[in-house]
Amino acid sequence: MAFSLVKISCCLHVTATYLIDPAIVGGPSMLPTMGPMATFLLTERNSLRFGKVERGDIVLVRSPVNPRNLLTKRLLGLEGDSVTFLVDPRNSDKCETIVVPKGHVWVQGDNIYNSRDSRQFGSVPYGLLYAKVFWRLWPLGGFGPLGKN
């Protein structure tokens, strides 16, 4: 019995690390792509290992402010890209342009009015990317692949 549990645990670990990992996310930062209620997603990490993430992909990223938290954001800039963004969209139309440094990415929530993202904490080291989201399982009304915006 114990040997079977060890085999199952190893299988789950390998699946989550190298193939598919489920994630439950929520909050208003990705509206309208994802609602504020719990959304059940499938993610994978191989794209990150092989540098196969692109602008527009939805990713899970460790918060640079609190690495225990995973954030769901859209990847908007890779190293060397110029990114122009609204500094404070609620209060002004002031834009700023930055060049994403080497080894970093720029991530933002789809809801620019209610998202804590690279506009506040700057470019994120590539190593903080955790997984790439590729499929929404729940809610059923949004079941299917998550494409780029």
Side-chain angles (χ1 to χ4, degrees), residues 68-114:
R68 287 183 162 176
N69 292 341
L70 283 176
L71 309 173
T72 309
K73 303 294 176 199
R74 189 169 302 276
L75 191 114
L76 293 183
L78 300 169
E79 68 178 52
D81 287 349
S82 289
V83 178
T84 301
F85 61 96
L86 288 169
V87 176
D88 186 8
R90 288 181 188 258
N91 299 315
S92 79
D93 291 335
K94 181 182 176 204
C95 288
E96 199 170 300
T97 300
I98 63 106
V99 175
V100 180
K102 183 176 175 114
H104 288 67
V105 295
W106 187 269
V107 294
Q108 281 185 211
D110 288 351
N111 181 1
I112 64 168
Y113 299 103
N114 196 2

Side-chain angles (χ1 to χ4, degrees), residues 38-40 135-144:
T39 303
F40 191 61
W135 200 270
R136 179 181 9 225
L137 293 174
W138 187 265
L140 287 177
F143 182 84

Side-chain angles (χ1 to χ4, degrees), residues 40-53:
F40 191 61
L41 306 168
L42 291 179
T43 67
E44 54 90 10
R45 296 190 203 166
N46 283 332
S47 293
L48 302 176
R49 283 189 186 90
F50 299 115
K52 299 290 184 186
V53 290

